[in-house]
Amino acid sequence: MTRSAAAAALLLALAGCAADGATYPSLQPRAVEKRGFAEPLTPVTVATPDPALDRQVAELGARLNVIARGFADAAQGAERRAAAARGRAAGSDAWLDAQTALATLDDWRAQASALATDVEELAIQRGATLAPPYPTLTALSERADAEAERQGATIARLQAMLAPA
């Protein structure tokens, strides 16, 4: 087939498609397709000041400070005891002293974890009423979680220094 014959056949085929009298939708973008798929902007709701919640957050923050200081003080002693027990057999006096110090640290960590849970419970209660996030409560929650994680990492590091039981 020559080029001109192929072009003529193509033109006849296209003319035949258009000759059936049916109307076809345009291939141009529809109005809805021009809108895009981005999420619509929603206004940011700001939490209204709540003096009762501010008091609770302040009290919990003060408790967290006490727990953090208590853990830091106990961690210094536990560090010394773990260093003294390094290389000693499980059950030796130095090892038992270090384990006792670690148990004290674990108590402080449990207090920090409980406080983090209390703070999270306050946030959940606010969320249940569809109230917007309260910035000071969110900050305290992050601080409490970070403190509990830091304490857990310190305990794990000191425990790794000791012989397994």
Side-chain angles (χ1 to χ4, degrees):
M1 198 189 260
T2 66
R3 268 187 157 169
S4 61
L10 181 63
L11 284 175
L12 284 174
L14 289 176
C17 289
D20 68 358
T23 57
Y24 295 98
S26 168
L27 297 178
Q28 296 292 324
R30 292 173 282 177
V32 72
E33 294 172 330
K34 292 179 182 177
R35 295 180 72 189
F37 295 103
E39 287 289 326
L41 295 176
T42 55
V44 177
T45 55
V46 178
T48 57
D50 184 349
L53 183 58
D54 286 335
R55 276 191 303 278
Q56 282 182 299
V57 167
E59 289 169 5
L60 290 169
R63 276 184 41 206
L64 182 60
N65 291 338
V66 168
I67 291 168
R69 278 192 307 271
F71 182 88
D73 292 343
Q76 290 175 353
E79 186 89 39
R80 285 190 305 274
R81 287 182 176 86
R86 183 180 288 167
R88 302 278 178 96
S92 66
D93 286 340
W95 186 86
L96 290 172
D97 288 343
Q99 291 295 334
T100 302
L102 284 173
T104 301
L105 290 183
D106 202 38
D107 180 54
W108 284 110
R109 181 183 54 178
Q111 291 179 49
S113 294
L115 187 129
T117 302
D118 292 346
V119 172
E120 189 64 30
E121 183 62 33
L122 281 176
I124 289 170
Q125 288 172 2
R126 279 188 62 79
T129 63
L130 300 179
Y134 204 70
T136 55
L137 183 61
T138 302
L140 180 61
S141 177
E142 291 169 357
R143 204 174 110 216
D145 289 342
E147 180 64 25
E149 284 183 35
R150 184 185 67 77
Q151 290 178 3
T154 300
I155 291 170
R157 180 179 54 80
L158 294 176
Q159 185 68 46
M161 294 169 62
L162 304 176

